[in-house]
Amino acid sequence: MDTGVTALIAFLAVSSFTVMLLTLSGPGKNRMDRRLRSITNEDSLTGEMTPEADPMAEFARTAIPKMGAVLMPDKEAERSKLQTRLLHAGLYSRQAMVYFLGIKLLLMVGPALIGAVIGLLGLVPILVGIVCGALFGILGMIGPSFWLDMGKANRQVNFRRALPDALDVLVVCLEGGSSLPSAIQRVATDLRTAHPMLARELLIVQREVQMGRSTGEALRAFGVRCDLDEVQSLATVILQAERYGASLVKSLRVYAETFRSNRILQAEEMAQKAVVKLLFPTVLFILPALFVAVLGPTGIMIFEMFDKMAQ
């Protein structure tokens, strides 16, 4: 391909991509828009102006939602399913779905465009650039889903480790005469350093209670957000205690002991699995080194003996 034609195609590709980004980001650069943004960023408490936003953050707020709208599912069931996955991963923002889909679109299209531009510039063969860009685009298409699943799994592990400690503090507060909402607030405050994720969720529960929900319903909503059977069972215990007037302290104490026993059993199960998991690196990496160290000198002596016999 002629050098001039290659340069022209590369210029058109880069220019088209730049125009697309500028179009998606919207105008928003005139004097009035800058003044409106400065007014909205004004600190209401001190009256001082906050620093200007980062250009990348401004681009993410404006362009990425428009990109995500392209991949927005048409069916309500699919949107609800994706929204549920985002909630389980801890993404509670209203625009979380649009941002997620926008980043997914960037990861799908961006590598292909970059590979094509690199190929057109002659840094690599154009076919290699397109193929590599397409492969990375496929990874960008499936990668965000795995990221959501990993985020959900990490949150669930964090909650399972933190809930027994939270229940112990909650029982102590209830035995001291505190009401359940104030006890939850105290637990969220005390566990903010040790278990910040659970403390943040308990603060959400406490705010929902202040807005008029019962404590059991707020905890049930927490169980839906984290998709944990343990939290949903705890919400059921509190709802039954509220409905039938049973002793909440005794119920929570029994549930905390059961939960702690389950955590000990899970730790023992993980310890038993560790023995099996250590078998593979032992066979693949440690035993060959031992064989070389033990049988190496013997092998050298055998080769020297055969060499002498051959002479």
Side-chain angles (χ1 to χ4, degrees):
M1 184 180 291
D2 189 14
T3 306
V5 176
T6 304
L8 179 60
I9 295 175
F11 173 75
L12 292 176
V14 174
S15 301
S16 301
F17 186 64
T18 304
V19 170
M20 182 189 71
L21 293 181
L22 292 176
T23 303
L24 289 172
S25 62
K29 300 299 181 182
N30 54 35
R31 184 176 178 182
M32 182 178 295
D33 291 332
R34 288 197 301 268
R35 178 58 180 164
L36 289 174
R37 285 200 302 272
S38 65
I39 293 174
T40 54
N41 290 331
E42 185 176 357
D43 191 351
S44 59
L45 297 178
T46 62
E48 297 177 357
M49 298 298 295
T50 57
E52 292 185 1
D54 187 8
M56 294 301 296
E58 185 68 21
F59 172 78
R61 283 194 298 267
T62 56
I64 290 181
K66 297 178 182 179
M67 294 179 182
V70 179
L71 296 180
M72 186 67 69
D74 296 331
K75 297 181 180 179
E76 184 66 26
E78 296 178 357
R79 287 198 296 270
S80 300
K81 184 178 179 180
L82 180 57
Q83 186 67 39
T84 303
R85 294 185 63 192
L86 292 172
L87 287 176
H88 292 167
L91 303 175
Y92 299 156
S93 175
R94 293 183 179 179
Q95 298 294 326
M97 183 186 301
V98 184
Y99 277 104
F100 173 77
L101 294 176
I103 294 173
K104 185 176 181 180
L105 179 61
L106 282 177
L107 294 177
M108 290 169 54
V109 178
L113 292 175
I114 293 173
V117 171
I118 293 176
L120 292 174
L121 291 176
L123 300 178
V124 296
I126 186 170
L127 182 59
V128 175
I130 293 175
V131 171
C132 292
L135 291 177
F136 281 106
I138 294 173
L139 293 177
M141 180 177 62
I142 63 177
S145 297
F146 286 104
W147 177 75
L148 284 181
D149 295 336
M150 290 176 60
K152 175 183 175 181
N154 291 332
R155 279 168 53 85
Q156 289 180 342
V157 170
N158 194 310
F159 290 146
R160 285 194 177 99
R161 292 176 179 175
L163 277 173
D165 300 333
L167 288 176
D168 290 339
V169 180
L170 188 64
V171 169
V172 171
C173 293
L174 291 176
E175 288 179 344
S178 299
S179 62
L180 185 57
S182 61
I184 291 176
Q185 185 178 5
R186 180 62 182 270
V187 171
T189 303
D190 292 343
L191 298 182
R192 186 175 300 173
T193 303
H195 305 292
M197 190 176 297
L198 179 61
R200 186 164 51 248
E201 293 292 337
L202 291 179
L203 286 177
I204 295 175
V205 171
Q206 195 262 342
R207 289 173 184 173
E208 289 182 349
V209 172
Q210 290 179 349
M211 294 175 63
R213 268 189 171 184
S214 66
T215 307
E217 293 175 353
L219 285 173
R220 178 173 290 177
F222 171 36
V224 172
R225 288 197 302 271
C226 64
D227 194 22
L228 270 179
D229 295 335
E230 291 86 348
V231 180
Q232 294 177 0
S233 300
L234 175 61
T236 303
V237 170
I238 294 177
L239 282 173
Q240 290 179 353
E242 292 176 348
R243 183 176 301 173
Y244 300 110
S247 177
L248 186 59
V249 176
K250 293 181 180 179
S251 302
L252 288 180
R253 185 184 293 111
V254 172
Y255 189 77
E257 293 176 357
T258 304
F259 205 173
R260 192 173 295 279
S261 300
N262 291 335
R263 190 172 68 170
I264 294 174
L265 292 176
Q266 290 175 0
E268 293 177 353
E269 181 182 358
M270 293 177 63
Q272 296 295 330
K273 290 181 180 179
V275 178
V276 181
K277 293 179 180 179
L278 286 174
L279 180 64
F280 297 99
T282 301
V283 173
L284 294 177
F285 301 105
I286 298 178
L287 290 182
L290 289 177
F291 289 153
V292 171
V294 173
L295 300 179
T298 306
I300 293 174
M301 294 175 60
I302 292 174
F303 282 125
E304 290 179 351
M305 183 181 65
F306 279 118
D307 190 17
K308 291 179 181 180
M309 292 177 61
Q311 291 178 357

